[in-house]
Amino acid sequence: MIEFKTPTPSDKAWVDGLLARGNYRGCDYNFTNIYVWKKTYNVEIAQGNGFLFTHLCGRMGCSYLYPAGAGDIAAAIQALKAEADSRGQPLRLVCLTRGQMAELEEFFPGQFDYVADRDGYDYLYEIDRLADLGGKKLHAKRNHINRFMENNPTWTYEEITPESLPECLEMDREWYRRSLQREGEAEERDLGDEGIALRTAMEHYQELGLEGGLIRVYGEVVAFTMGDMLSADTYDVHFEKAYGELQGAYAMINREFARWVRQRHPRVKYLNREDDMGVEGLRKAKLSYYPDLLVEKYAAIMKA
């Protein structure tokens, strides 16, 4: 049987090695996300036959990520089938790309049912568009940034350091408190899960290889963001927080971090700003930047 375990920061090196073989652009194939969301989704990982196996329990039920790595994929799927049987669960594979679905169907023709997971689609943007905000479509974003600079002439941007992490945590606590006053019960729960993930990321910021930036106004942190490399040409933005009452604060931290990533990682072509979880406000916000690509995700359930 596959020996699953709860991920720890010490697993990052071997997990990253297997993920690099696939060069995935989906945010699910990122060690930071695997680790910081482990409590929310009861994530477990294992290594076998040249693959990373990941078990999690989310909104689609208890499932497995499509194995990441290189080797005999059919044997890896058979191993997951035996594992699912031992748990008394159907074999459900999630976050599949169209290519992975085709591969699965090739080895197991007619044995799976497939369904799209629109709420899990990732939004990818060309980094130059987010850094420069050119063109008519992003005119409104430029206006928001102009208002922010006019209203907050003392603003500064800086890289997050271990010394400024506590300030970001304090800003997040205040942001969370204000959000709870505005959101409904269903979204409150999601915000709470994200809060746990963010705090976990901050506690292990250096171990996870995270990078980030913050904006100050009159010396106070009013926005911050953090992420890390996802694949050879894609950077994953994990968290982004700004005080909503400051017009343009979100647009500003978005633009400034895109510029910072472009300078620090010149090979990056896309920023993955992750999914919208089916939350209407998040979907509207992500679509307002006109994504260049969507990382489509599908679930495959083995027929009884």
Side-chain angles (χ1 to χ4, degrees), residues 57-85:
C57 296
R59 64 181 184 278
M60 302 191 78
C62 290
S63 315
Y64 302 88
L65 289 183
Y66 197 78
D72 187 342
I73 188 64
I77 299 298
Q78 291 285 14
L80 286 181
K81 173 64 168 63
E83 171 67 21
D85 288 344

Side-chain angles (χ1 to χ4, degrees), residues 234-250:
T234 305
Y235 194 96
D236 193 342
V237 181
H238 297 296
F239 303 101
E240 182 181 87
K241 294 291 176 70
Y243 289 138
E245 60 269 28
L246 291 181
Q247 183 183 358
Y250 272 107

Side-chain angles (χ1 to χ4, degrees), residues 122-295:
D122 290 352
Y123 295 77
L124 267 63
Y125 308 84
E126 290 186 0
I127 192 168
D128 288 340
R129 283 210 311 113
L130 292 193
D132 300 328
L133 296 176
K136 293 182 179 179
K137 288 183 177 180
L138 298 176
H139 176 72
K141 303 300 180 184
R142 297 195 298 273
N143 282 343
H144 284 311
I145 285 175
N146 289 336
R147 297 293 84 73
F148 179 85
M149 291 191 294
E150 290 172 4
N151 295 333
N152 305 281
T154 67
W155 79 273
T156 58
Y157 173 86
E158 64 189 63
E159 184 178 348
I160 290 177
T161 65
E163 291 73 30
S164 59
L165 270 175
E167 292 179 272
C168 295
L169 178 59
E170 183 58 36
M171 182 262 169
D172 176 66
R173 290 195 184 101
E174 176 60 18
W175 179 94
Y176 183 57
R177 185 188 66 79
R178 298 181 191 184
S179 297
L180 286 179
Q181 295 175 356
R182 295 192 300 266
E183 305 292 345
E185 289 185 7
E187 293 185 7
E188 282 183 24
R189 183 174 63 253
D190 294 334
L191 289 166
D193 290 339
E194 186 192 39
I196 293 171
L198 175 58
R199 283 156 179 74
T200 303
M202 288 183 173
E203 289 169 7
H204 301 278
Y205 189 82
Q206 292 176 295
E207 293 172 279
L208 294 173
L210 287 166
E211 303 169 315
L214 62 85
I215 288 177
R216 297 181 187 273
V217 172
Y218 292 110
E220 177 187 354
V221 176
V222 298
F224 71 87
T225 186
M226 59 182 65
D228 63 0
M229 289 297 298
L230 176 58
S231 67
D233 68 353
T234 305
Y235 194 96
D236 193 342
V237 181
H238 297 296
F239 303 101
E240 182 181 87
K241 294 291 176 70
Y243 289 138
E245 60 269 28
L246 291 181
Q247 183 183 358
Y250 272 107
M252 196 66 172
I253 189 64
N254 188 330
R255 187 193 73 174
E256 292 302 298
F257 192 54
R259 291 179 172 182
W260 184 90
V261 171
R262 183 171 63 179
Q263 182 177 18
R264 179 65 64 91
H265 302 283
R267 293 175 58 198
V268 168
K269 182 178 180 180
Y270 295 105
L271 289 181
N272 183 326
R273 293 181 56 77
E274 302 195 346
D275 57 44
D276 59 34
M277 301 180 292
V279 177
E280 183 179 353
L282 278 178
R283 181 166 298 183
K284 182 178 179 181
K286 292 177 187 292
L287 288 173
S288 72
Y289 275 94
Y290 300 94
D292 294 287
L293 292 173
L294 290 177
V295 179

Side-chain angles (χ1 to χ4, degrees), residues 97-135:
T97 63
R98 288 182 180 271
Q100 289 168 334
M101 281 198 300
E103 184 176 66
L104 187 61
E105 191 62 21
E106 177 185 351
F107 288 107
F108 301 92
Q111 296 185 44
F112 285 87
D113 289 322
Y114 302 95
V115 60
D117 178 20
R118 175 61 184 87
D119 293 348
Y121 285 16
D122 290 352
Y123 295 77
L124 267 63
Y125 308 84
E126 290 186 0
I127 192 168
D128 288 340
R129 283 210 311 113
L130 292 193
D132 300 328
L133 296 176

